[in-house]
Every structure is written in C-alpha cells, then in structure tokens.
C-alpha cells in the first residue's frame, strides 16, 4: 500500500491510496542499492519546498506546472517505469568483471563501443594534422594576473583545411604548471576582448584565473553547427569530404567533444599548464558533450556535466522529463541513428548513462543539477552517478555511494565524484563554477 499524491482534474492536490506493485529496479539482476531510496522513501515523494537539511525532492508545484505545460512527458516518480540498469561489471557474454585488468583490457572497450554504435556515433579514422596559430595576445590582463590569447586551430587533410577559434587564458604569476579547464560553450563565442572586460558567468575566465586555473573556451557551432541542417558546414562533413554521414558515424556531440580534445593537444604544448590536470566542462548539451569527451579521451582528468539531462548524466530508463524519443526528434544531429530507435523502449538500450561515468572512472566526474530543471531529471542524474560506484570501487577509487540525494545547495563530494543541486533553473553560473572548483581544488592541490 502506498499513498500517492496526484492531481485532481480541477488541478488541486488530492491523496489517493493505491495498492501498487513496486517493481524493484535492479542492476544486472542484483538489487541496485542506488535505487533503494527511491523505493523506501516512496516513489511519489515530492516536497512542498526544499530546505537545507532534507534530501532534495522535486517540488510539488513544479511537478504540477511542468506536467500541465508538457503533458506528454512524465514528472511523477510514481510513473517512472520499473527498470533494470545494465551492469557495467558484466561483460556482453555475461562474464562477471572482477579485476582491474579485465576492466581495462576488455570491458571498457566493449562498453565504449556500445556507446559509439548506439548513442554518440564513431569518430572518423582519417589522418589529419592540426596547427594552432596565435591570432592576438594581451599580456597583462587583470593587473598582470593573466595572459590572454585569441587562437585559431586549423585541421588539415591533404590540401583541405578546417578552422575553429578558441580563447585561452594562462596565469602569469604561477611558480608551477597550473591545472586547466576547457569550457565547451554551447551558447556563443566569447572573444578575447569580451572575456577580459566582462566576467561572463557562463565562462568566468577571470574567476578561473583568480582561483589558479588556466582556461580555454570554444563555441560548439564553430566546430559543428548546432542545427539539423548544418552538417555541410561542420567538421563532420570536412572529415567525410562532403559525403553524408553513415548511420553510425559521429554526430555533433561527439564532434564538439573531439574539438575539446584538440584544444587539449594545444595545452599539452604549454609549459605553464599541467596537462595531466585538465577538466572538460559543459552545460546542458555541452554537459552531454563533456561526459562523452572524457570517455573518448582518457587524457581528461575531470569531467563536469552541468544540467546535462537526457543523453548526458540522466538515466535514459527513467524517461523522466526529456525522453530519448523527444531528444532524437528535436536534435537528430546530436546522436547516431540507432539512439532514435530506442524511443519509448529505453529499457532495450544496451547501455545507460551511469556507464558513461563508469567509462571515466577512475578519473573524476562532477555532476550538477538545478532544483527547477526537472526536464533534465535531477534524480536521474544523481542516480546515474551513484550507480557508477561499483566501477570506481573496482578501480580502487572512492566515489559517492550515498543513495539519498543531498539537500539543496549542499555539494556532496566523495573521492573522485561530486554532485550538487542548486536552487534556480537551467543554467551555468558562478555558484556552479565555485562548487565545481572547490571539488577540483581537492584533486589538484
Ligand atoms: C534543450 C534540450 C536539452 C538540453 C538543452 C540545452 O532544448 O531538450 O537536452 O540540451 O536544450 O542544451 O540547453
């Protein structure tokens, strides 16, 4: 028996008592501890208001508002379908993975191959060269704290070239090489002069420098246009010499992540930067990208995914807020064709998003949600992170294992993983940055 809050036809809240069979979500047949709290606290749990000392729950008024506004999507915990998460520590042939060697030598490759074939697509194997040109430089920014550079990356295949710009800041006064943050800007390009004169909360370069980090940022659409019909102008068409993409070829999210790796190529040549301490950061579609970028490129020490939701940190199987069907029809250029086939049958996807974080282990992962951003499914984002814990543990690293969500505005950090849920809506701002940097400070100093 459970008591389930629901909405009456006239929009007021009523309580109904129903007998429900609570299917216990499992990982690979074993009861999943990450799901246990969802069951014990009642799957319908919502809060009137979130406080500083109780675990976060979706606010009732927001659940109601979102459900009314987008009635074809689910915002009720009670309507999350029962699901079994695929076990990252079970090989495709069913063999349990119990050693670091088995993970590194076979299972990791199996999993990343599944993500490439079913979700993000395969990057091209064509050979290319890359050059970095300094277009402009300002040496004594912010009272001598930093040097800023306007850069152009040029990718060449034979006599064909593709360019994309980025901006880089390096601290001037460091005794030792500093950690760095590569920011994937899914909104706009911030030129050097603008980044110097305005500390944009979306990419607060000055804050990053003051906190002892070098930082670079590029705009996604400069690499691969963020439009359904933008293929011909982007890096994917450049690699394919104008031919249309094959069904399992990379799509924009992977292309943007690839660009973050190219900037890392450049940072590796900079003696002022500790290239073994580089984080990749993104918000929303940029947060989906940052996770995948870190899966594909093990040189990234940290991935930070902010409000990334469906196709990012959130578990697809929960189908809460944005769904696979919706995201693949609204943004067909983000995922390879297979992903769209799982619309309304999320439980058939051979992977789920906790395994994305497992692929980053034992490196660091930080996930951030926002109280009002139910479209991105904060609980699904948190649960995915915790469900990767067995892989962190196998690889000898601590991570968050606490299944109950933290209270609002109280970052939780354990070993190589961190999480916060901030008040307010979908967005990346100074609060998120500062909590994230508190986390990376612990890893890098
Ligand atoms: C939304 C999309 C989300 C998220 C967001 C963003 O429209 O549904 O998946 O990526 O855009 O990038 O801001």
């Amino acid at each position: 028996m459970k008591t389930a809050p629901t909405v009456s036809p006239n929009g007021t809240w009523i309580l109904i008592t129903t007998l429900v069979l609570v299917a216990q979500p499992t990982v690979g047949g074993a009861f999943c501890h990450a799901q246990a709290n969802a069951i014990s606290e009642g799957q319908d749990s919502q809060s009137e208001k979130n406080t500083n000392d109780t675990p976060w729950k979706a606010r009732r008024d927001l659940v109601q508002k979102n459900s009314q506004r987008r009635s074809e999507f689910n915002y009720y915990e009670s309507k999350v379908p029962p699901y079994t998460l695929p076990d990252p520590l079970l090989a495709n042939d069913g063999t349990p993975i119990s050693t670091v060697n088995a993970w590194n030598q076979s299972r990791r490759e199996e999993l990343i191959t599944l993500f490439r074939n079913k979700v993000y697509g395969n990057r091209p194997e064509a050979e290319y060269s890359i050059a970095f040109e300094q277009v402009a430089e300002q040496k004594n920014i912010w009272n001598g704290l930093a040097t800023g550079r306007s850069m152009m990356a040029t990718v060449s295949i034979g006599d064909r070239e593709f360019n994309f710009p980025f901006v880089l800041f390096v601290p001037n006064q460091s005794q030792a090489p500093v950690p760095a943050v590569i920011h994937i800007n899914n909104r706009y390009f911030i030129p050097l002069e603008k980044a110097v004169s305005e500390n944009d909360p979306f990419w607060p370069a000055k804050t990053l420098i003051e906190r002892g980090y070098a930082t670079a940022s590029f705009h996604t659409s400069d690499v691969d246009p963020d439009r359904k019909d933008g293929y011909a102008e982007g890096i994917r068409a450049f690699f394919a010499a104008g031919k249309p993409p094959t069904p399992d070829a990379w799509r924009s999210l992977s292309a943007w992540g690839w660009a973050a790796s190219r900037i890392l190529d450049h940072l590796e040549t900079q003696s002022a930067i500790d290239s073994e301490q580089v984080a990749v950061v993104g918000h929303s579609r940029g947060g989906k990208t940052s996770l995948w970028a870190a899966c594909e490129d093990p040189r990234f020490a940290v991935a930070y995914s902010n409000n990334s939701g469906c196709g990012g940190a959130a578990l697809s199987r929960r189908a809460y807020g944005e769904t696979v069907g919706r995201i693949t029809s609204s943004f067909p250029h983000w995922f390879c064709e297979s992903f769209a086939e799982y619309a309304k049958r999320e439980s058939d996807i051979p992977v789920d998003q906790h395994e994305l974080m497992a692929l980053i282990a034992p490196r660091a992962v930080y996930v951030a949600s926002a109280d009002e951003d139910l479209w991105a499914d904060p609980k699904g984002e948190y649960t995915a992170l915790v469900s990767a814990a067995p892989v962190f543990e196998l690889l000898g690293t601590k991570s968050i294992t606490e299944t109950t969500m933290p209270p609002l505005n109280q970052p939780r950090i354990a070993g190589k993983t961190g999480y916060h849920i901030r008040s307010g809506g979908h967005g990346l701002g100074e609060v998120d940055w500062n909590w994230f940097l508190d986390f990376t400070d612990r890893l890098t100093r």
Side-chain angles (χ1 to χ4, degrees):
M1 289 269 267
K2 63 186 283 197
T3 302
T6 187
V7 190
S8 70
N10 66 9
T12 55
W13 283 90
I14 54 170
L15 288 178
I16 52 163
T17 302
T18 47
L19 181 65
V20 291
L21 280 174
V22 179
Q24 299 190 339
T26 57
V27 171
F31 181 70
C32 170
H33 61 90
Q35 309 298 318
N37 72 311
I39 292 159
S40 61
E41 74 190 13
Q43 292 199 347
D44 269 333
S45 59
Q46 296 158 9
S47 66
E48 286 295 344
K49 135 177 188 315
N50 278 299
T51 62
N52 286 343
D53 49 13
T54 51
W56 179 88
K57 287 175 186 164
R59 258 169 44 204
R60 195 165 297 165
D61 60 320
L62 292 175
V63 168
Q64 196 173 350
K65 201 171 91 191
N66 278 290
S67 301
Q68 280 164 1
R69 199 160 55 95
R70 285 174 150 160
S71 57
E72 67 277 36
F73 299 100
N74 175 45
Y75 292 91
Y76 291 94
E77 281 301 322
S78 58
K79 293 187 188 157
V80 169
Y83 60 89
T84 301
L85 289 181
D87 187 344
L89 292 178
L90 218 48
N92 291 351
D93 68 0
T95 312
I97 302 297
S98 55
T99 64
V100 176
N101 269 353
W103 173 265
N104 286 336
Q105 283 164 19
S106 65
R107 180 58 181 154
R108 190 179 184 281
E109 195 55 32
E110 264 186 10
L111 258 185
I112 200 165
T113 301
L114 285 172
F115 273 106
R116 287 177 186 143
N117 291 339
K118 303 291 181 185
V119 187
Y120 303 105
N122 289 270
R123 292 179 176 179
E125 279 166 13
E127 290 204 359
Y128 64 91
S129 62
I130 185 151
F132 300 96
E133 185 197 346
Q134 182 178 303
V135 180
E137 185 179 49
Q138 290 190 33
K139 281 200 161 138
N140 281 305
I141 299 167
W142 307 316
N143 293 325
L145 271 188
T147 295
R149 297 189 189 112
S150 211
M151 302 292 302
M152 186 63 79
T154 302
V155 185
S156 305
I157 298 178
D159 56 4
R160 296 186 302 120
E161 290 186 347
F162 183 94
N163 301 301
F164 69 93
F166 64 96
V167 171
L168 170 65
F169 290 94
V170 184
N172 284 338
Q173 292 153 1
S174 262
Q175 307 301 319
V178 295
V181 169
I182 297 176
H183 173 244
I184 297 161
N185 196 328
N186 55 298
R187 291 186 172 167
Y188 35 69
F189 179 68
I190 306 181
L192 177 60
E193 307 69 44
K194 195 146 187 286
V196 171
S197 61
E198 257 175 58
N199 200 27
D200 188 325
F202 201 62
W203 180 47
K206 182 164 185 248
T207 306
L208 281 150
I209 287 288
E210 284 168 348
R211 291 199 56 156
Y213 292 78
T215 184
S217 179
F218 71 100
H219 178 37
T220 47
S221 283
D222 288 333
V223 175
D224 209 52
D226 193 1
R227 299 193 320 265
K228 286 179 196 182
D229 60 355
Y231 176 76
E233 299 154 42
I235 190 76
R236 293 182 296 126
F238 173 75
F239 266 98
K243 291 196 204 77
T246 56
D248 67 350
W250 60 340
R251 293 296 191 271
S252 297
L253 298 176
S254 187
W256 301 334
W258 178 89
S261 286
R262 303 294 65 82
I263 294 177
L264 178 52
D265 294 344
H266 177 62
L267 301 194
E268 284 188 322
T269 67
Q270 302 298 298
S271 56
I273 292 173
D274 179 354
S275 58
E276 291 184 2
Q277 300 288 358
V278 177
V280 58
V281 168
H283 163 68
S284 205
R285 61 200 76 188
K288 306 179 208 294
T289 304
S290 61
L291 291 173
W292 182 238
C295 293
E296 283 280 21
D297 190 340
R299 295 174 302 165
F300 286 115
V302 188
Y304 172 42
S305 144
N306 193 77
N307 306 178
S308 62
C310 185
L315 293 172
S316 302
R317 277 165 173 72
R318 277 173 51 84
Y320 183 106
E322 189 169 29
T323 58
V324 170
R326 156 73 193 225
I327 202 168
T328 52
S329 55
S330 301
F331 306 101
H333 56 297
W334 289 0
F335 301 96
C336 67
E337 285 181 17
S338 274
F339 199 44
E341 291 164 16
Y342 296 103
K344 295 209 163 76
R345 38 180 289 255
E346 287 84 355
S347 276
D348 294 338
I349 315 173
V351 289
D352 211 324
Q353 302 305 103
H354 61 306
E355 293 172 307
L356 208 55
M357 299 162 197
L359 285 171
I360 301 171
R363 294 167 291 140
V365 186
Y366 194 101
V367 172
S369 309
D371 184 34
E372 293 169 21
D373 188 15
L374 299 186
W375 182 240
D377 186 13
K379 184 166 181 143
E381 297 186 310
Y382 182 75
T383 307
L385 184 64
V386 176
S387 302
V391 177
F392 282 92
E393 194 185 338
L394 176 72
L395 301 178
T397 312
K398 287 207 176 71
S399 67
I400 300 174
T401 54
E402 170 64 57
T403 57
T404 306
M405 289 186 70
L408 191 62
N409 297 321
Q410 287 185 34
R412 176 174 286 160
I413 291 175
K416 290 291 190 69
T417 65
Y419 176 87
H420 70 249
I421 178 156
R422 156 186 62 68
S423 14
H426 190 69
L428 170 63
E430 287 259 359
V431 171
D432 299 302
W433 277 105
N434 280 318
W435 284 335
F436 170 61
L437 294 175
D438 292 345
F439 170 73
T440 51
D441 281 354
R442 292 162 48 119
L443 302 168
T444 55
R445 323 264 146 135

